[in-house]
Amino acid sequence: MAILVAGGAGYIGSQVARALRRSGYEVVIYDNLSTGFRRLARGFELVEGDISHEVKLRSVLARVDAVMHFAAHAYVGESVENPRKYFRNNVAGSLSLLNSVLDAGIRRFVFSSSCAVYGIPGEIPITEQAVRAPVNPYGASKLFFENALEAYACAYGMRAVSLRYFNAAGADESGEIGELHEPETHLIPLALAACSGSGGELQIHGDDYATGDGTCVRDYVHVEDLADAHVRALRYLEGRSDPRGFNLAVNLGTGRGYSVLDVIRAVEGITGRAVRRMVGARRAGDPAVLVADATEAQRVLGWTAQRGIEEMVASAWSWMRESEGGDWAESA
Ligand code: UDP
């Protein structure tokens, strides 16, 4: 069985591509390398193209049985400043991809969604039934596509799983792939950089939230656990004999929350170094607490996160040290 991994040269997509291959699937990576890295796709067939390029997609889709979609812009702050970019790619581009998939006769689809669809949650932990009311254009773009999948499931028999990630973190055990964003805005890599000497001081985005220590609380989930969930989602799609369409939405988190200060302590514990930091203003679009109720993933996919915050930080740290001085910066 062959899988098209759209956005497979990015941080999460490239981990999933490897997990799929380890599980015996054939993988074709499709990526326009706008934010992805050629190096992350090394060893795979890489087709360079945009998700809205119908002609290019047609020939690739003719060779695959299912599609996984990671090709999205994913900075909350940037989405607030430049919504046009987010709606163009994450909404218009994604819809174009979905139509190409449909026209190719493919009915199995795994979507990389986000807890950002929930906005500011009424209750913690967040279940899949919680109201979806995004508070930033990034979350709105993910919700739009979930709704499109829902409609295509009813109307055209699309069979989809939307995986709502909480905070992806960590690097793979082989040391081959780690978190690589340009520019980097995520907490764990920035906290590591702030104690490695290669980065600046970490800015804590607000310490006046209504949380235990005043900093935001998030549910960090190891990228290898996320990758495993995608393989399970695909098996779930293969295993359903019912020919009707559906869009199953599942949270992927650990069910445990860590504040920014908790993460800093974990980083200091693993590295044995101090994280240079200062407290800054709140970042636009950041809810105070996001923690998953992860029981649905266990019930439906048999998935629970296996790795904790220490493993996320430790793997990210060893990956960062290994890649320092390497040629990662040259990217695409
Ligand atoms: N954060 C922070 N300083 C940074 C980057 C992030 O204090 O330099 C906080 C951010 O406000 C959020 C948490 O760390 O509460 C996780 O942010 P990240 O950008 O890693 O992921 P997001 O929650 O935006 O997906």
Side-chain angles (χ1 to χ4, degrees):
M1 180 153 165
I3 318 297
L4 184 79
V5 181
Y11 170 47
I12 301 174
S14 60
Q15 298 271 5
V16 173
R18 280 158 181 76
L20 287 169
R21 189 161 61 187
R22 281 197 299 273
S23 303
Y25 294 98
E26 241 177 84
V27 174
V28 180
I29 290 180
Y30 188 87
D31 202 300
N32 67 4
L33 299 180
S34 66
T35 56
F37 296 83
R38 190 182 298 282
R39 292 195 59 157
L40 297 186
R42 194 176 277 170
F44 288 86
E45 177 185 354
L46 167 66
V47 178
E48 270 182 69
D50 197 90
I51 48 173
S52 55
H53 197 317
E54 291 164 28
V55 177
K56 185 161 255 179
L57 269 172
R58 197 172 302 141
S59 59
V60 192
L61 287 170
R63 302 191 270 131
V64 302
D65 308 284
V67 171
M68 292 201 177
H69 175 30
F70 302 87
H73 296 309
Y75 294 122
V76 168
E78 185 187 52
S79 81
V80 176
E81 283 151 27
N82 191 0
R84 182 174 182 162
K85 175 176 176 181
Y86 279 70
F87 292 128
R88 186 176 55 225
N89 185 71
N90 297 9
V91 174
S94 294
L95 201 52
S96 177
L97 170 68
L98 183 59
N99 287 332
S100 296
V101 169
L102 195 70
D103 292 344
I106 297 167
R107 293 292 179 271
R108 281 178 283 215
F109 199 99
V110 178
F111 175 50
S112 161
S113 190
S114 165
C115 63
V117 298
Y118 297 117
I120 296 169
E123 271 178 47
I124 298 291
I126 306 169
T127 69
E128 287 80 359
Q129 284 69 50
V131 174
R132 290 173 295 158
V135 290
N136 50 60
Y138 169 67
S141 73
K142 291 287 176 181
L143 177 57
F144 176 92
F145 195 73
E146 282 197 7
N147 288 338
L149 283 176
E150 191 76 47
Y152 279 40
C154 290
Y156 310 127
M158 186 57 75
R159 300 146 63 81
V161 180
S162 291
L163 297 171
R164 295 179 183 153
Y165 314 152
F166 281 63
N167 284 59
D172 76 328
E173 276 153 23
S174 70
E176 210 178 352
I177 296 177
E179 191 159 2
L180 196 54
H181 296 108
E182 192 52 49
E184 188 52 77
T185 62
H186 293 95
L187 178 61
I188 293 178
L190 288 177
L192 287 169
C195 67
S196 75
S198 66
E201 204 173 47
L202 175 74
Q203 192 179 138
I204 296 172
H205 295 321
D207 68 350
D208 57 350
Y209 286 94
T211 60
D213 62 24
T215 63
C216 286
V217 172
R218 295 287 181 272
D219 183 338
Y220 295 89
V221 54
H222 199 295
V223 71
E224 288 216 80
D225 283 326
L226 289 185
D228 173 45
H230 287 75
V231 176
R232 288 169 185 266
L234 195 59
R235 293 210 177 111
Y236 175 83
L237 289 176
E238 287 174 63
R240 289 265 304 228
S241 50
D242 176 355
R244 278 176 307 179
F246 58 87
N247 176 35
L248 173 78
V250 180
N251 286 341
L252 296 181
T254 63
R256 275 202 65 173
Y258 291 87
S259 71
V260 174
L261 293 180
D262 290 334
V263 170
I264 290 174
R265 269 191 292 277
V267 167
E268 292 184 332
I270 296 286
T271 62
R273 302 186 194 183
V275 173
R276 288 171 292 120
R277 74 254 207 184
M278 58 165 293
V279 177
R282 289 185 177 196
R283 186 172 66 178
D286 264 347
V289 182
L290 292 172
V291 176
D293 179 325
T295 50
E296 184 72 355
Q298 162 64 36
R299 193 181 68 76
V300 185
L301 304 178
W303 178 89
T304 40
Q306 301 296 309
R307 300 159 181 88
I309 193 80
E310 277 76 23
E311 280 162 285
M312 292 178 226
V313 171
S315 62
W317 176 232
S318 56
W319 183 81
M320 185 179 268
R321 276 183 307 171
E322 272 162 37
S323 57
E324 251 170 30
D327 54 349
W328 287 86
E330 108 206 335
S331 73

